[in-house]
Amino acid sequence: GGSFFGKVGSFENGYEFDAIVLEDSMAGNSMKIDHIARFMRVLYLGTECTIRQKYVKGNIVNID
């Protein structure tokens, strides 16, 4: 699907990289959950303070 928008949608060299780094350690959980469940928990229950870094086209964006 990314090919429609150009060089996106892959971790290969030459492709654009947009991403966010999420922190969920403060959420707490008494059970062991896998990375997908952790992501879903942050996606639906997290706040903006759970975002630690943002990358656009491979460059860190200020999150102040």
Side-chain angles (χ1 to χ4, degrees):
S3 62
F4 176 80
F5 297 101
K7 298 283 262 181
V8 298
S10 178
F11 288 110
E12 297 176 51
N13 285 334
Y15 280 68
E16 291 184 10
F17 178 76
D18 295 345
I20 57 174
V21 177
L22 302 174
E23 173 64 51
D24 72 341
S25 65
M26 299 298 287
N29 192 355
S30 60
M31 330 178 328
K32 289 279 191 189
I33 57 175
D34 65 13
H35 63 281
I36 294 172
R38 288 175 66 187
F39 174 73
M40 296 302 281
R41 180 179 64 186
V42 170
L43 180 67
Y44 290 110
L45 302 176
T47 62
E48 190 169 343
C49 67
T50 59
I51 298 173
R52 294 295 175 229
Q53 290 179 325
K54 295 179 185 180
Y55 294 86
V56 176
K57 295 185 179 179
N59 299 305
I60 294 178
V61 176
N62 192 355
I63 58 172
D64 291 336

